[in-house]
Amino acid sequence: MAKTRKSKRGPLFLKALFIFGIALIFFIIAIVGFIIYSDYKRKEEATKNIPLPPQVAKIAKPPAPPVTVHIPKAKIAIVIDDMGQDIRRLRDILEIDAPISIAVLPFLPYSKDIATEAGSKGREVLLHIPMEPKDSNNNDPGKGAVFTDMTEAQVAEQVRMDIEAVPYITGVNNHMGSRFTEDERLMRIVLNIAKTKKLFFLDSKTTSKSTGYRLAKEMEVKAASRQVFLDNEEDINYIKGQILELVKIAKKRGSAIAIGHPHPSTIAALKEMIPLINKDVDIVTVSSLIDSIKE
């Protein structure tokens, strides 16, 4: 009896069908993945142009960086008058870490020495011109003074001699002078010489009727006016109060000038108060304060 052959078509067909099924599954997965990805990208693009609600926008928007505004500090200048009699007082003042200006009277025992030492150490020096007060019988302005009974030529000559007597000066201010500074005609002589010598004028304001500051501005002489006297009373607590008043005025006006004298109480008060007020105001020389003022 003849033997029959076994057919090989069955196993080959099943193998091909299996491979086709696997390929079909991967194809379907790829199609589904592409559809999902395309839908995601479409939605993403669509949401880019949708504005956020105001509440969400406020939260989402990063805060703006703080704006730093530089507010310049007020400026004060301090002048110590009546220098020339005692050089030890100058050295006490030089120990204070602040550009305190020195006003030196002419023809006193240490006038030149004080002006030279102060000037060589970078301190501003003023000529403290002695001028006639209203009560000259009880208030002697001292050697080198100018008086209202002088001629214009005599006043001019005396002022020139005073200037020559004190080195290193950058400006002048009046010592006493409650009568003389009210005399416009003679003050013009003083201010004209100051202008010629390129010196500024600080009006000590020993009288409310002084013509000094007004005339100086009229004559285009650099000028300033005193706001505070520190030591009308030689009491340390009073002087501290005057220093605080100086700061208060400076903050209100932008700048202020004080005049004091080389009393031990004044020097002690300045040594104590200057480190405390440095954070509130800038302490400068009179000349730099004048230069910084914009008319």
Side-chain angles (χ1 to χ4, degrees):
M1 186 171 177
K3 293 181 180 180
T4 59
R5 289 183 180 179
K6 291 183 179 179
S7 176
K8 294 181 180 180
R9 291 179 62 188
L12 289 173
F13 175 77
L14 291 174
K15 186 176 181 180
L17 184 63
F18 176 76
I19 292 171
F20 175 77
I22 294 297
L24 181 61
I25 290 170
F26 276 106
F27 178 75
I28 292 169
I29 291 172
I31 293 296
V32 172
F34 177 77
I35 292 170
I36 292 171
Y37 177 75
S38 298
D39 186 61
Y40 168 77
K41 292 299 290 182
R42 180 179 57 78
K43 289 180 179 178
E44 184 182 47
E45 290 297 324
T47 55
K48 281 184 180 179
N49 298 321
I50 300 175
L52 292 171
Q55 297 85 350
V56 177
K58 286 181 181 178
I59 296 171
K61 187 178 180 181
V67 178
T68 303
V69 179
H70 175 67
I71 302 174
K73 290 196 291 186
K75 293 179 171 59
I76 64 169
I78 299 172
V79 182
I80 300 298
D81 278 354
D82 295 1
M83 298 294 291
Q85 194 69 48
D86 187 346
I87 200 164
R88 292 172 300 176
R89 297 291 169 84
L90 169 69
R91 289 165 185 165
D92 289 338
I93 294 167
L94 292 177
E95 290 177 0
I96 301 173
D97 186 19
I100 296 172
S101 301
I102 307 297
V104 182
L105 288 162
F107 309 115
L108 290 180
Y110 292 98
S111 296
K112 286 189 176 182
D113 293 340
I114 286 172
T116 299
E117 185 168 338
S120 65
K121 293 188 176 179
R123 294 301 179 94
E124 186 164 74
V125 180
L126 286 72
L127 168 65
H128 199 31
I129 303 178
M131 295 183 176
E132 181 184 0
K134 288 185 177 176
D135 183 11
S136 54
N137 291 327
N138 296 308
N139 295 281
D140 180 9
K143 189 175 179 181
V146 288
F147 294 89
T148 53
D149 61 358
M150 287 179 167
T151 65
E152 293 181 6
Q154 287 172 326
V155 168
E157 178 61 22
Q158 186 60 66
V159 171
R160 290 191 187 97
M161 290 171 62
D162 293 347
I163 289 172
E164 290 298 318
V166 181
Y168 283 93
I169 63 172
T170 58
V172 300
N173 72 329
N174 55 291
H175 170 63
M176 299 187 182
S178 54
R179 183 181 299 280
F180 191 92
T181 58
E182 291 182 4
D183 191 313
E184 182 171 331
R185 177 179 61 90
L186 295 178
M187 277 303 298
R188 284 187 183 275
I189 304 300
V190 176
L191 292 170
N192 188 57
I193 295 172
K195 183 176 182 178
T196 301
K197 300 286 186 179
K198 294 180 169 52
L199 302 171
F200 67 80
F201 173 70
L202 171 62
D203 194 336
S204 301
K205 295 291 286 186
T206 54
T207 169
S208 60
K209 296 179 181 179
S210 172
T211 64
Y213 179 75
R214 176 182 60 81
L215 278 176
K217 302 307 290 182
E218 179 185 310
M219 297 170 64
E220 298 183 342
V221 177
K222 286 187 176 182
S225 185
R226 181 271 315 164
Q227 280 73 53
V228 175
F229 273 128
L230 294 180
D231 47 15
N232 285 331
E233 297 179 25
E234 291 183 45
D235 175 80
I236 191 166
N237 289 323
Y238 171 84
I239 297 166
K240 288 180 186 179
Q242 290 298 92
I243 293 170
L244 293 176
E245 180 66 14
L246 174 68
V247 171
K248 180 180 176 181
I249 293 171
K251 286 184 174 181
K252 184 176 179 180
R253 294 166 42 99
S255 64
I257 298 173
I259 289 177
H261 301 85
H263 306 310
S265 54
T266 303
I267 295 169
L270 288 170
K271 284 183 176 180
E272 184 176 340
M273 293 296 291
I274 279 177
L276 302 178
I277 65 174
N278 257 333
K279 60 186 177 183
D280 295 321
V281 292
D282 286 330
I283 305 172
V284 300
T285 60
V286 179
S287 59
S288 64
L289 188 152
I290 292 172
D291 290 340
S292 69
I293 294 173
K294 295 181 180 179
E295 296 296 336

